[in-house]
């Protein structure tokens, strides 16, 4: 494996993100090519992983293992490329599931139900195998491999559970705001926790540092998910299916939980989102304005800042492991 | 944090959106989150600017600046 030149410092954060994403992409390509899978499945896996988390730019979660590894070990981040590949492939599997559930992708576009199931199985199998497949390349001890593999498996389940909670909540008119936040914590927080803990577990045997990495990743994942959720409802924001599908994202869940006697906009949101998606005739911009007027955007913003601050505090703790390394990029992520 | 959101607090925050950012009911809401001093400071520092951005129709740019594209 060839070390890549990774730009340093906050002024290069975007270039740095892309450089780390390229390392992860190369590792996914290398491992998938060597997997022995039929060519068409390899091509699909590489293509899906290349898109993972990248619809609006390089995904942070897939490069998180490398960034955390660098902060904790003081070594070059490419040593954690297999952990990044594991996350990239896991996120690709999650994105595929999400796309099918949100009707962003039709089953016939991915080879029908059989093709979708096969693709999902391939992506998860490659993810689970990524650390083992890269063990020799990065000189990972058997003990650290065992620990990292166990973390990947348990945190995968947590994130998938959060995804299921998310979908279940979408179909419910009667729900608690806390349940919506817990789903975000399990899904997006779970993925961030998994990515950061993998990077730390490859770098060290120190339980406290690995736990701190988990706190960093979880809070970073939640903060960024909340920003995405705001983007999905804010007036003038990018297209999103969150409203049409009745997703109980933080801003929507908050607006639905407000007493309409206190704020009539909340009543309008509740009325617009009642019934099944097929029954709704939505004017997206009107509902976006009502969600904002009901306080949903401000509420999600406050929570996002709280989680970002917690991530930043954890990043500072992680960076104390190697004070000589420039910690600004890791901290800047939050 | 999730369990510390008190019944009725959402309504208080919603009612406060049109007021000054740190109106007493917003303070009450922040207290319900059991924030540390650093967490509270981060919210307090960013909230007024965010509220003005929403009011001026610049919410999208503000959220973008905080990095939703990295979600």
């Amino acid at each position: 494996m060839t070390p890549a030149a990774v730009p340093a410092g906050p002024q290069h954060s975007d270039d740095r993100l892309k450089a780390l994403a390229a390392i992860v992409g190369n590792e996914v390509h290398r491992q998938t090519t060597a997997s022995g899978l039929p060519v068409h499945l390899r091509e699909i896996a590489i293509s899906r992983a290349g898109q993972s988390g990248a619809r609006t730019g390089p995904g942070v979660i897939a490069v998180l293992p490398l960034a955390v590894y660098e902060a904790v070990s003081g070594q070059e981040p490419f040593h954690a490329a297999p952990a990044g590949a594991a996350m990239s492939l896991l996120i690709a599997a999650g994105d595929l599931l999400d796309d099918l559930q949100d009707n962003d992708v039709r089953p016939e576009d991915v080879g029908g139900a059989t093709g979708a199931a096969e693709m999902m199985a391939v992506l998860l199998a490659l993810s689970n195998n990524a650390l083992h497949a890269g063990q020799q390349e990065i000189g990972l001890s058997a003990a650290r491999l065992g620990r990292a593999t166990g973390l990947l498996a348990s945190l995968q389940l947590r994130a998938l559970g959060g995804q299921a909670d998310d979908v279940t909540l979408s179909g419910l008119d009667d729900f608690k705001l806390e349940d919506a936040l817990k789903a975000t914590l399990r899904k997006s927080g779970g993925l961030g926790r998994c990515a950061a803990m993998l990077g730390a577990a490859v770098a060290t045997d120190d339980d406290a540092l690995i736990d701190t990495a988990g706190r960093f990743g979880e809070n970073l994942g939640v903060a960024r998910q909340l920003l995405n959720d705001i983007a999905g409802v804010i007036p003038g924001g990018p297209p999103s299916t969150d409203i049409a599908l009745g997703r109980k994202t933080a801003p929507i869940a908050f607006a639905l939980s407000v007493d309409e006697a206190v704020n009539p906009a909340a009543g309008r949101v509740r009325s617009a989102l009642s019934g099944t998606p097929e029954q709704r005739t939505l004017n997206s911009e009107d509902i976006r304005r009502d969600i904002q007027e009901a306080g949903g955007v401000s509420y999600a913003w406050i929570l996002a800042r709280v989680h970002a601050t917690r991530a930043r505090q954890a990043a500072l703790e992680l960076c104390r492991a190697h004070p000589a390394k420039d910690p600004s990029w890791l901290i800047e992520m939050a | 944090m999730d369990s510390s959101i008190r019944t009725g607090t959402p309504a208080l925050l919603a009612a406060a959106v049109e007021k000054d950012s740190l109106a007493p009911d917003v303070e009450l809401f922040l207290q319900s989150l059991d924030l540390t001093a650093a967490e509270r400071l981060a919210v307090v520092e960013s909230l007024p600017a965010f509220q003005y951005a929403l009011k001026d129709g610049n919410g999208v740019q503000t959220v973008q600046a905080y990095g939703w594209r990295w979600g």
Side-chain angles (χ1 to χ4, degrees):
Chain A
M1 189 178 301
T2 306
V6 180
Q11 70 274 28
H12 302 300
S13 59
D14 209 41
D15 289 344
R16 190 170 172 78
L17 185 69
K18 287 175 182 167
L20 293 182
I23 293 173
V24 172
N26 287 339
E27 181 66 5
V28 168
H29 191 280
R30 186 189 73 77
Q31 290 197 9
T32 305
T33 303
S35 66
L37 285 165
V39 172
H40 74 283
L41 289 181
R42 281 190 251 155
E43 289 175 348
I44 290 171
I46 290 169
S47 170
R48 295 292 311 187
Q51 299 164 26
S52 64
R55 293 172 199 147
T56 50
V60 149
I61 300 298
V63 306
L64 209 51
L66 284 71
V68 169
Y69 175 90
E70 182 183 33
V72 171
S73 72
Q75 303 296 311
E76 290 297 321
F78 73 88
H79 288 293
M87 287 310 303
S88 179
L89 290 156
L90 174 60
I91 293 164
D95 281 353
L96 175 59
L97 181 60
D98 208 43
D99 285 347
L100 289 165
Q101 288 171 334
D102 289 356
N103 298 320
D104 290 335
V105 166
R106 296 173 305 171
E108 52 265 39
D109 295 334
V110 288
T114 307
E118 183 179 51
M119 203 181 299
M120 188 74 68
V122 165
L123 290 167
L124 287 174
L126 286 168
S127 172
N128 286 325
N129 190 53
L131 287 163
H132 186 263
Q135 180 189 14
Q136 288 190 335
E137 292 280 335
I138 60 174
L140 188 64
S141 72
R144 286 189 187 174
L145 173 66
R147 179 173 202 165
T149 304
L151 281 171
L152 178 63
S154 64
L155 292 168
Q156 265 181 357
L157 291 173
R158 179 176 162 144
L160 286 170
Q163 176 78 9
D165 291 346
D166 208 22
V167 173
T168 301
L169 280 170
S170 297
L172 298 179
D173 287 331
D174 185 21
F175 69 99
K176 292 179 180 173
L177 180 59
E178 288 90 338
D179 293 335
L181 297 176
K182 281 176 185 168
T184 299
L185 192 68
R186 285 184 73 188
K187 185 179 80 167
S188 304
L191 281 174
R193 173 174 282 276
C194 184
M197 289 185 88
L198 278 189
V202 170
T204 182
D205 299 316
D206 186 326
D207 291 340
L209 272 178
I210 295 171
D211 286 345
T212 302
R215 184 155 45 88
F216 168 67
E218 180 174 284
N219 282 293
L220 184 70
V222 172
R224 293 205 174 276
Q225 182 61 53
L226 288 168
L227 289 179
N228 267 345
D229 292 343
I230 292 172
V233 301
I234 198 167
S240 168
T241 54
D242 286 353
I243 293 173
L245 294 174
R247 286 275 187 253
K248 302 301 186 297
T249 63
I252 295 173
F254 178 87
L256 290 171
S257 71
V258 172
D259 185 346
E260 62 185 88
V262 174
N263 191 323
R268 293 196 293 273
V269 174
R270 193 171 297 116
S271 173
L273 294 183
S274 62
T276 65
E278 294 74 23
Q279 294 169 327
R280 295 173 197 144
T281 307
L282 302 175
N283 181 318
S284 178
E285 277 302 301
D286 284 349
I287 297 177
R288 285 173 183 241
R289 274 192 292 275
D290 285 335
I291 291 170
Q292 178 173 310
E293 199 176 319
V297 170
S298 298
Y299 171 76
W301 175 266
I302 289 173
L303 290 190
R305 295 316 303 151
V306 169
H307 282 282
T309 304
R310 290 177 182 168
R312 185 174 285 254
Q313 289 167 337
L316 283 166
E317 292 172 36
L318 283 180
C319 292
R320 285 189 197 118
H322 281 275
K325 296 290 287 188
D326 176 8
S328 51
W329 191 73
L330 193 68
I331 294 166
E332 195 183 62
M333 289 174 99
Chain B
M1 181 181 64
D2 304 349
S3 61
S4 71
I5 297 173
R6 295 184 302 209
T7 305
T9 304
L12 289 172
L13 180 66
V17 168
E18 294 301 318
K19 302 176 185 174
D20 290 340
S21 297
L22 296 179
D25 33 12
V26 174
E27 289 281 9
L28 189 63
F29 174 73
L30 294 182
Q31 286 172 22
S32 77
L33 296 177
D34 291 332
L35 304 179
T36 66
E39 291 162 0
R40 188 183 183 287
L41 183 64
V43 171
V44 168
E45 283 183 341
S46 74
L47 194 53
F50 186 61
Q51 294 292 311
Y52 281 119
L54 289 181
K55 195 173 178 182
D56 295 343
N58 295 323
V60 173
Q61 292 90 329
T62 305
V63 174
Q64 196 167 29
Y66 274 82
W68 88 45
R69 68 195 177 81
W70 278 0

